[in-house]
Amino acid sequence: MTETLAPRTTSSVWDDPIGRIHEFLVGDFTSSPLVQRARDLVPTLKERAARQAQQDRILPETIEDMQRAGFFQMLQPRSHGGYELSPIESFEVTSILAEGDPSVGWVLGVIGIHHFHLGFFDERAQADVWSTDHTTLVSSPYAPQTAKRVDGGYLLSGRWSFSSGSDYCEWALLGANVEGEPTPGPGPLGSHVLLLPRTDYEIVHNWDVSGLRATGSNDIVVENAFVPDHRSLTWNEVHDGTAPGLALNDGLLFKLPFFQVFSRATQAPTALGALKGMADALADFIRSKGRKGVDPAAALALAEAYSFISEAKGRLYANYGAVIAEATGGAAVSPERLEEFRFQSAYIPARAARYGTELYRVAGGTGIYNTRPFGRYLTDLMATQTHAINNFQARAMDWMGPQLDITGSFVSKPDGVVPNAIRR
């Protein structure tokens, strides 16, 4: 791609949230320049895919293409050079890129949601990252280590795994519990998230895996780093609407339920995109054989895969439509429905992997060669479903448990800490 990075005036659903949302809800993204840029990049990603699969990180030229297109800034606050797009648009872009290479979609989803999260931090923290370069990237992860409260901030040490795309990031959001203070019950999140610059941590290149290999999800090690107070944010502040960044970033995006955006930024769109890419590859493979007639097993496998993709996107975009409508003055979405939304999203990667397994089977013996893309897509689909956020059994309990009056199933949480079950 040769197009230069566009100014942050791109039209989005937020320019007319009531009128233009209907276009996206029916799958019409013709008015989205970001979606078109993603579609334009897919053939290039497919050309690079075999070479990319041998690497433990996204190719530098692909990161440059993504930066030039503005993909990482989709959910970034406009106050710091971002587009602040609808999460529907962002989901579609991530899914499309995953058609070309699932690792690319994954890294975009992970880094992009960090930029959304950073918008909730103190304005000084946002300025630390973006005041001189609004294309600066931020990694994670959130699984907590222990911090110690000191005068003016925190001291942090520990090792964090699964830092996707970290080789291209200059900052990291790291989960923490604070020594001697209340912590959540067992789960993937701590009580705090701390923001650290690259100079305060080391990347350990230990990412040697069978699926999503190019995500470069290495370990991060921190030794006794000082984190000032303004670079700390609690999950309670996010969920009770008192996050300091909301004074600066008060647009519609930041009025949506946080985890309705956060929890489907990466895994669900990556899985749907990978399945679409795999189905397209199989259809092309079958056509290239030039056989007369259609194999009914292959026809059914393709029909089921394509149908599932359409149905899943339609359901998730309708769910987004409901929370967007509420944020613009419409009917409130009940807590039960929010839990339903979370379950529907969490279940997508596992279901996509099942459809992908059938596509792999019907590709036949010649489909298993590494000169074909089916094995790469399948291992990426298998890896996508392993993320903790896709624990659809837990999401089923959050949704159905209270309705079925199931008792004794939930671990009590200390006072003052938002329990996982209500992080919607």
Side-chain angles (χ1 to χ4, degrees):
M1 299 176 65
T2 59
E3 180 183 1
T4 58
L5 189 67
R8 294 320 188 252
T9 56
T10 297
S11 175
S12 80
V13 67
W14 305 127
D15 299 326
D16 181 9
I18 302 301
R20 296 187 65 248
I21 187 65
H22 299 293
E23 299 174 15
F24 296 166
L25 291 179
V26 298
D28 180 2
F29 292 92
T30 54
S31 62
S32 171
L34 275 294
V35 169
Q36 186 56 54
R37 291 177 200 174
R39 288 180 176 141
D40 291 344
L41 186 56
V42 167
T44 300
L45 296 180
K46 289 182 177 180
E47 290 173 3
R48 295 171 181 166
R51 178 164 57 100
Q52 178 68 87
Q54 304 305 312
Q55 309 298 316
D56 62 358
R57 69 195 73 177
I58 299 297
L59 294 168
E61 55 265 42
T62 297
I63 293 292
E64 291 173 6
D65 288 339
M66 296 166 74
Q67 283 280 35
R68 193 175 299 113
F71 295 145
F72 292 112
Q73 286 74 48
M74 289 188 295
L75 299 179
Q76 187 169 313
R78 285 184 174 178
S79 61
H80 286 285
Y83 287 113
E84 209 170 302
L85 295 184
S86 157
I88 302 177
E89 240 173 316
S90 176
F91 190 108
E92 186 71 9
V93 168
T94 303
S95 179
I96 290 171
L97 293 182
E99 294 175 23
D101 192 313
S103 287
V104 173
W106 182 278
V107 167
L108 172 61
V110 168
I111 293 177
I113 201 61
H114 298 154
H115 296 180
F116 170 64
H117 191 187
L118 186 55
F120 289 80
F121 276 69
D122 189 290
E123 183 178 353
R124 290 170 293 174
Q126 298 177 55
D128 288 344
V129 175
W130 289 317
S131 62
T132 60
D133 183 0
H134 66 252
T135 67
T136 299
L137 305 182
V138 182
S139 65
S140 60
Y142 294 100
Q145 299 296 324
T146 301
K148 181 179 180 180
R149 190 179 291 276
V150 297
D151 187 32
Y154 305 84
L155 286 180
L156 184 66
S157 297
R159 183 165 181 151
W160 290 256
S161 297
F162 304 110
S163 185
S164 300
S166 52
D167 283 303
Y168 297 103
C169 298
E170 295 302 320
W171 292 78
L173 293 169
L174 301 179
N177 290 318
V178 179
E179 185 178 287
E181 298 184 8
T183 61
L189 301 177
S191 59
H192 288 63
V193 177
L194 305 180
L195 175 67
L196 283 77
R198 182 72 168 266
T199 52
D200 284 356
Y201 60 85
E202 174 191 0
I203 298 174
V204 180
H205 290 90
N206 63 338
W207 189 244
D208 185 13
V209 294
S210 57
L212 295 173
R213 177 174 173 77
T215 62
S217 303
N218 295 296
D219 283 9
I220 283 181
V221 175
V222 178
E223 294 186 5
N224 209 36
F226 174 71
V227 183
D229 280 325
H230 75 270
R231 292 185 193 157
S232 169
L233 185 68
T234 69
W235 287 113
N236 278 354
E237 291 174 295
V238 171
H239 291 284
D240 64 16
T242 61
L246 295 177
L248 174 67
N249 303 314
D250 59 357
L252 188 54
L253 175 62
F254 291 92
K255 291 180 170 63
L256 302 183
F258 181 86
F259 264 87
Q260 291 294 321
V261 180
F262 183 93
S263 64
R264 65 192 63 168
T266 302
Q267 295 80 22
T270 298
L272 292 174
L275 183 62
K276 173 68 159 51
M278 189 178 188
D280 288 347
L282 179 60
D284 289 341
F285 179 51
I286 293 171
R287 282 190 289 263
S288 71
K289 292 181 177 181
R291 295 178 180 175
K292 294 182 178 180
V294 178
D295 177 358
L300 179 59
L302 287 168
E304 289 179 330
Y306 284 129
S307 185
F308 167 66
I309 294 165
S310 296
E311 291 165 6
K313 282 189 175 183
R315 180 68 266 155
L316 291 190
Y317 294 162
N319 293 350
Y320 267 137
V323 296
I324 290 170
E326 178 182 3
T328 55
V333 181
S334 70
E336 292 78 16
R337 285 200 71 201
L338 291 175
E339 296 294 5
E340 178 184 356
F341 295 174
R342 290 285 307 281
F343 170 79
Q344 289 168 338
S345 178
Y347 204 12
I348 283 174
R351 296 179 68 193
R354 295 173 196 167
Y355 288 115
T357 300
E358 182 63 5
L359 293 177
Y360 186 81
R361 185 186 74 83
V362 300
T366 54
I368 69 175
Y369 284 89
N370 283 331
T371 53
R372 304 292 182 187
F374 307 119
R376 294 196 300 272
Y377 279 116
L378 183 60
T379 53
D380 287 346
L381 278 166
M382 291 296 181
T384 298
Q385 66 176 327
T386 64
H387 194 282
I389 215 165
N390 301 318
N391 187 341
F392 56 88
Q393 293 95 337
R395 299 289 75 77
M397 285 296 297
D398 290 341
W399 175 25
M400 297 305 300
Q403 298 184 51
L404 298 175
D405 194 26
I406 297 173
T407 58
S409 301
F410 302 103
V411 179
S412 62
K413 310 297 191 298
D415 291 340
V417 177
V418 176
N420 289 335
I422 63 171
R423 285 177 174 163
R424 302 186 179 93

